[in-house]
Amino acid sequence: MDSPFGLLAELTYRCPLSCAYCSNPVNLGDYHDELTTAQWQRVLIEAQELGVLQLHLSGGEPLLRRDLVDLVTSARYLGLYTNLITSAVGLSRRRAEQLRAAGLDHVQISIQADEATLSDGIAGTPSYAGKIEAARLVKELGWPLTLNVVLHRRNMDRVAAVLDLAEELAADHLELANTQYYGWAWRNRDALLPSRAQLDRAEAVVRAARKRLKGRMDIVYVLPDYYSQYPKPCMGGWGKRQLTVTPNGDVLPCPAAHALPLPRASVHEDSLARIWARSPLFQSFRGTDWMPEPCRSCERREIDFGGCRCQAFQLTGDASRTDPVCHLSPDHGIVAERVRAANEENRLGDSVLVPRPHRGRPGRR
């Protein structure tokens, strides 16, 4: 069994945006009692002792935590590489300079689109101008800059303009990642799933940009699972390389696993080391012994590990099923039907989106 390489620290699920594709839990009320500064610092120590090298500070919006600088300082002391995953709402010059002095290594900013009207509409609040200002500030202060754009039917046709914006901002990395259908995104799947024609156009644009920007910008383009022949490996394998700690201290093998009917693991009740090595949650789908057919006899079983357990549960009600994204899955028809609907000529592409509610109260210490 490998030690985890990365820790996703979801410091809070409060967020000033209300993106309809948000994959955070729908039941936000379960996460009001956030870990204190001292509790997070203990988690970081245990993570470093467990072998974690990279710390991703996320949410919600991690800038809503008043102790963010303190947590970065602690992580720096422990020798962890720190990456701030942020909407950039609240990233003032003063806050940015404090984080730089504390030792923050990298900043990843989410951008909803390439222009204000569409971006603000998707985010549910005026935020585009501040994001662009923050991106320029990140480069000014000498950080590597990653821009992350979650793609869906509403912005898929703007990929070329998004690439132009990333080039203008001198981004070092651009992640064009199609929506993963968990949380609020699951509720809005029918309005978000792009068509095959949209994907084909975007892929051609990305392919040309990679050639043109080679050596200047790293471009990651992630297809939507529903259009893939084979599923992606769940976080590189369930309980294999990554772990997530949620705002209330729950520990998960992946950010969406809170939805699965599995035993709970929490830093309030056990250490990260024991949770990683012994908890029923992390043992549930680790390795390949749990697999049903056709996964058990498939030559790809140690490549994609049966696909995403959360997606299997979401689509079939059984987390142990082969991910229906796989064309070999006996449940593949579920995915094929959604793809067919997404490509109907008169599909309701303007169906009403259910936005994630705003949650932006100041963080605790």
Side-chain angles (χ1 to χ4, degrees):
M1 182 182 65
D2 296 320
S3 296
F5 179 79
L7 168 64
L8 177 63
E10 295 184 323
L11 302 181
T12 181
Y13 285 144
R14 291 171 289 114
C15 183
L17 307 186
S18 57
C19 305
Y21 57 75
C22 183
S23 60
N24 284 161
V26 173
N27 55 324
L28 295 176
D30 292 349
Y31 299 92
H32 284 165
D33 190 15
E34 298 174 0
L35 295 179
T36 65
T37 305
Q39 288 170 329
W40 271 117
Q41 288 170 330
R42 174 174 63 82
V43 168
L44 298 185
I45 292 171
E46 292 181 2
Q48 189 264 352
E49 292 173 345
L50 188 54
V52 166
L53 300 176
Q54 292 187 352
L55 173 64
H56 304 280
L57 299 160
S58 183
E61 176 47 66
L63 288 168
L64 288 173
R65 289 283 302 212
R66 293 193 295 264
D67 58 356
L68 181 60
V69 172
D70 295 333
L71 296 179
V72 170
T73 300
S74 297
R76 179 72 169 189
Y77 176 79
L78 293 168
L80 299 175
Y81 182 91
T82 50
N83 174 34
L84 177 64
I85 303 173
T86 177
S87 69
V89 176
L91 188 61
S92 64
R93 175 174 291 275
R94 178 174 178 272
R95 196 82 181 279
E97 289 175 347
Q98 289 174 337
L99 289 167
R100 195 74 174 104
L104 182 69
D105 293 297
H106 184 274
V107 179
Q108 175 178 315
I109 296 176
S110 65
I111 300 288
Q112 280 67 37
D114 62 285
E115 56 87 25
T117 301
L118 180 58
S119 181
D120 293 347
I122 293 171
T125 189
S127 55
Y128 176 80
K131 288 172 178 286
I132 300 305
E133 182 180 350
R136 293 195 171 107
L137 176 60
V138 165
K139 293 298 294 186
E140 178 188 333
L141 294 180
W143 273 307
L145 171 64
T146 292
L147 295 181
N148 175 267
V149 183
V150 177
L151 297 176
H152 45 80
R153 178 174 282 266
R154 304 299 173 99
N155 64 2
M156 179 68 71
D157 294 324
R158 303 293 304 177
V159 167
V162 166
L163 281 156
D164 289 342
L165 175 63
E167 186 176 5
E168 177 190 337
L169 294 173
D172 300 280
H173 308 276
L174 174 63
E175 295 182 0
L176 299 167
N178 273 273
T179 302
Q180 299 291 309
Y181 295 103
Y182 311 110
W184 297 96
W186 173 254
R187 291 189 171 190
N188 291 301
R189 180 184 60 174
D190 290 345
L192 294 173
L193 188 64
S195 68
R196 169 62 71 179
Q198 285 184 300
L199 291 174
D200 289 344
R201 290 193 295 268
E203 188 172 3
V205 169
V206 171
R207 189 164 52 244
R210 279 176 171 160
K211 183 177 180 180
R212 179 172 59 85
L213 297 172
K214 185 177 181 180
R216 295 166 52 198
M217 185 192 305
D218 179 40
I219 303 171
V220 176
Y221 178 62
V222 182
L223 277 171
D225 287 357
Y226 284 33
Y227 283 92
S228 299
Q229 185 179 18
Y230 296 105
K232 301 179 184 70
C234 178
M235 304 296 291
W238 180 276
K240 186 174 177 65
R241 301 298 289 160
Q242 306 277 342
L243 74 165
T244 296
V245 178
T246 68
N248 67 350
D250 285 347
V251 186
L252 303 171
C254 78
H258 58 83
L260 299 182
L262 293 172
R264 181 172 175 266
S266 171
V267 299
H268 292 295
E269 300 163 4
D270 219 337
S271 68
L272 280 188
R274 283 193 292 271
I275 291 171
W276 176 262
R278 303 177 188 175
S279 69
L281 173 61
F282 275 76
Q283 297 288 355
S284 296
F285 300 111
R286 186 174 265 155
T288 60
D289 290 345
W290 63 271
M291 290 181 177
E293 294 293 352
C295 295
R296 182 178 293 274
S297 57
C298 181
E299 63 183 11
R300 293 180 56 86
R301 64 185 176 276
E302 294 190 11
I303 298 174
D304 56 38
F305 299 98
C308 177
R309 298 301 87 222
C310 302
Q311 190 158 254
F313 178 74
Q314 194 87 269
L315 292 171
T316 73
D318 184 352
S320 67
R321 300 282 287 180
T322 299
D323 188 338
V325 161
C326 182
H327 75 288
L328 300 173
S329 166
D331 302 306
H332 182 64
I334 298 172
V335 171
E337 170 58 25
R338 300 321 309 159
V339 169
R340 184 199 62 76
N343 286 275
E344 289 179 349
E345 183 177 354
N346 295 318
R347 179 183 177 276
L348 295 176
D350 294 326
S351 53
V352 176
L353 292 168
V354 180
R356 179 192 191 273
H358 291 279
R359 304 270 182 172
R361 294 189 299 275
R364 61 181 292 180
R365 288 181 64 88

